[in-house]
Amino acid sequence: MGFFDKLFGKKGSTNKPKNQTSNIDKTSQIYIDYQNKLLETKQFYPFDRWRESYNDGLTQYTKQNCDKTKKVFDDLIASLIDLGGNGSEAQKKELFKTAIIKTNKLNDEIDGLIETGEREDLCELTDKITIACGLDPHKYGDGEGLASEWREW
C-alpha cells in the first residue's frame, strides 16, 4: 500500500465502518422515502375511471378535461417533492390551497366536472397526499381534510 493509499485509504474505500451510514446517506434515503410515498399516491388517481364515463354519455370527461385535472395533482405532488419532507406545515398547506383553488376554477370552466362521486374521489386523493407528505388530514377542514379548507365543489 502506497503513502497516499495509507493516508486517504484505498481507492474506493469510504474509511468508515461497514455499519456506519453517513448523514448524507441518511438524508438521501429520507428524501427518497418521502418522494416515493408521494409518487405512490398516483395509484389512487381517479382520472382514468372518470375518462371511462365519457363513453357512458358524461361528455365532460374528455381526455383533455381529465388531463387538466390530473395535471393539478401531478403539479401538487411535484411541488411537495421539491419542497421536501422538511418543508413547513404552512408551506405544504399553501401548495394544497393552490391545487384546490385550481380545481375550483376547472369546475367553474367545465360544467359538471366535479359531482358527488368526483368530489369524494378528490377529497380521498387529497387526504392520501396529505398523509404522504406528513400531515394529518383530520386536523383540517373540521376533520374533513385539507380539500375542505378551500373547495367549492
Side-chain angles (χ1 to χ4, degrees):
M1 184 180 280
F3 172 74
F4 286 102
D5 289 339
K6 288 181 182 175
L7 184 61
F8 297 109
K10 285 188 173 183
K11 190 173 184 177
S13 171
T14 60
N15 286 334
K16 64 183 177 189
K18 288 183 181 181
N19 294 336
Q20 183 181 358
T21 305
S22 74
N23 286 336
I24 293 171
D25 292 341
K26 288 178 185 174
T27 302
S28 296
Q29 189 58 51
I30 290 169
Y31 175 79
I32 291 168
D33 290 346
Y34 174 77
Q35 178 182 19
N36 287 339
K37 283 180 186 177
L38 284 164
L39 292 173
E40 286 173 6
T41 63
K42 290 185 177 192
Q43 69 182 311
F44 300 103
Y45 275 12
F47 312 113
D48 288 340
R49 186 169 29 82
W50 291 9
R51 179 71 181 110
E52 292 170 7
S53 298
Y54 180 83
N55 297 327
D56 296 331
L58 298 175
T59 57
Q60 68 269 37
Y61 299 115
T62 63
K63 180 175 178 0
Q64 181 182 17
N65 290 345
C66 291
D67 286 350
K68 285 180 184 179
T69 312
K70 178 182 176 287
K71 184 176 179 345
V72 170
F73 287 89
D74 283 344
D75 291 349
L76 170 61
I77 289 169
S79 296
L80 287 165
I81 289 170
D82 288 345
L83 178 62
N86 291 329
S88 72
E89 177 182 5
Q91 290 170 309
K92 291 176 183 179
K93 278 182 63 176
E94 192 61 33
L95 294 174
F96 279 94
K97 179 179 180 180
T98 299
I100 299 305
I101 289 172
K102 285 180 182 179
T103 60
N104 289 340
K105 288 179 183 175
L106 281 174
N107 193 48
D108 289 342
E109 293 169 12
I110 304 164
D111 188 43
L113 179 68
I114 304 174
E115 300 291 341
T116 302
E118 293 76 25
R119 180 189 72 234
E120 290 171 2
D121 288 341
L122 294 180
C123 286
E124 183 178 330
L125 177 60
T126 302
D127 286 352
K128 289 183 183 308
I129 297 169
T130 302
I131 292 166
C133 80
L135 301 178
D136 179 0
H138 298 104
K139 187 176 168 186
Y140 309 100
D142 293 327
E144 293 184 13
L146 271 170
S148 294
E149 294 273 325
W150 307 282
R151 71 178 176 86
E152 296 172 356
W153 25 269

